[in-house]
């Protein structure tokens, strides 16, 4: 395993547009991650009878019709949250533009490291940790390959702040939330192919 110098065709980089597409894509991905399970009971769902608490007039109290009123303690919640799906729809062109902008920013900032291949003698986390330290990766990173390699996946899985993805499955959020991209040659070529589409 050794580091490889990369030459990127500058015409493939998208740096003059796509900032809004990138923001929209990240927002959509983060919203899709939300559980959407928050739930409250309205006045019709809270336990209690329909009996009037006291007579309409003559007591000096404000008039009241039922104990489940939202203005009372123990009553229903007015306009409270209900389980819902937060997923947002984005057009394919917006997703593509967002990916191109995100990857272009990483390439421009020099935050993409390419190695010839990932080869480990055994599926041990310390081997990947030592290799990343040798590369100078001291913060979050995503390991990218063209196809899933079980050994590389295993040596990566227990490392904190280290993600793993294939070039085709890599999404904008994973790309932006990690500081460095560490690809093998095949994975980098696949990323460039996605950029060229």
């Amino acid at each position: 395993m050794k580091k490889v110098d990369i030459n990127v065709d500058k015409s493939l980089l998208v740096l003059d547009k796509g900032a809004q597409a990138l923001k929209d894509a990240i927002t959509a991905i983060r919203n899709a991650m939300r559980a959407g399970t928050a739930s409250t009971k309205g006045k019709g769902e809270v336990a209690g009878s329909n009996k009037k608490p006291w007579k309409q007039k003559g007591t000096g109290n404000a008039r009241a019709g039922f104990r489940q009123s939202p203005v009372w303690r123990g009553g229903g919640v007015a306009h409270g949250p209900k389980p819902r799906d937060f997923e947002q729809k984005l057009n394919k062109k917006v997703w593509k533009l967002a990916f191109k902008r995100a990857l272009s920013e990483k390439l421009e900032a020099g935050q993409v490291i390419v190695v010839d291949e990932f080869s480990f003698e055994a599926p041990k986390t310390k081997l990947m940790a030592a290799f990343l330290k040798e590369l100078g990766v001291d913060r979050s990173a995503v390991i990218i390959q063209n196809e899933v390699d079980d050994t590389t996946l295993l040596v990566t899985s227990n490392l904190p702040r280290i993600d793993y993805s294939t070039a085709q499955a890599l999404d904008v959020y994973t790309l932006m939330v990690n500081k460095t991209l560490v690809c093998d040659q095949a994975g980098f070529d696949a990323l460039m192919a996605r950029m060229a589409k």
Side-chain angles (χ1 to χ4, degrees), residues 56-86:
Q56 182 81 345
K57 294 176 175 291
T59 65
N61 293 324
R63 56 195 174 188
F66 51 94
R67 67 159 300 279
Q68 299 95 317
S69 171
V71 301
W72 282 20
R73 182 171 181 231
V77 176
H79 312 295
K82 287 291 183 185
R84 56 174 287 203
D85 182 8
F86 286 90

Side-chain angles (χ1 to χ4, degrees), residues 72-162:
W72 282 20
R73 182 171 181 231
V77 176
H79 312 295
K82 287 291 183 185
R84 56 174 287 203
D85 182 8
F86 286 90
E87 191 171 330
Q88 291 175 252
K89 180 186 179 300
L90 285 184
N91 294 331
K92 287 183 180 178
K93 286 184 178 180
V94 176
W95 285 113
K96 286 181 180 178
L97 178 57
F99 179 81
K100 288 181 179 180
R101 174 63 185 253
L103 186 53
S104 296
E105 287 184 5
K106 290 291 184 186
L107 290 166
E108 186 71 11
Q111 295 174 337
V112 178
I113 298 173
V114 180
V115 297
D116 54 352
E117 63 175 348
F118 292 108
S119 57
F120 298 96
E121 297 172 358
K124 294 188 178 293
T125 305
K126 64 181 179 181
L127 297 177
M128 176 59 92
F131 181 59
L132 291 176
K133 188 174 181 180
E134 184 184 320
L135 291 176
V137 177
D138 57 348
R139 289 178 61 187
S140 58
V142 54
I143 308 300
I144 300 168
Q145 293 186 292
N146 186 32
E147 294 181 355
V148 176
D149 174 57
D150 291 337
T151 303
T152 307
L153 179 58
L154 283 172
V155 297
T156 306
S157 59
N158 284 336
L159 287 172
R161 299 188 301 171
I162 304 295

Side-chain angles (χ1 to χ4, degrees), residues 21-32 86 88 90 173:
L22 182 55
K23 177 184 179 298
D24 291 344
I26 290 175
T27 301
I29 292 170
R30 285 174 62 87
N31 280 341
F86 286 90
Q88 291 175 252
L90 285 184
Y173 182 74

Side-chain angles (χ1 to χ4, degrees), residues 40-59:
T40 54
K41 289 184 178 181
K43 65 183 182 181
E45 298 165 314
V46 175
S49 72
N50 290 326
K51 183 185 175 185
K52 194 171 173 63
W54 50 75
K55 63 181 183 177
Q56 182 81 345
K57 294 176 175 291
T59 65

Side-chain angles (χ1 to χ4, degrees), residues 161-190:
R161 299 188 301 171
I162 304 295
D163 289 327
Y164 180 89
S165 177
T166 62
Q168 292 302 320
L170 182 65
D171 63 78
V172 176
Y173 182 74
T174 304
L175 194 55
M176 294 304 292
V177 82
N178 290 290
K179 183 184 177 186
T180 311
L181 274 69
V182 183
C183 322
D184 61 9
Q185 187 65 60
F188 181 73
D189 291 342

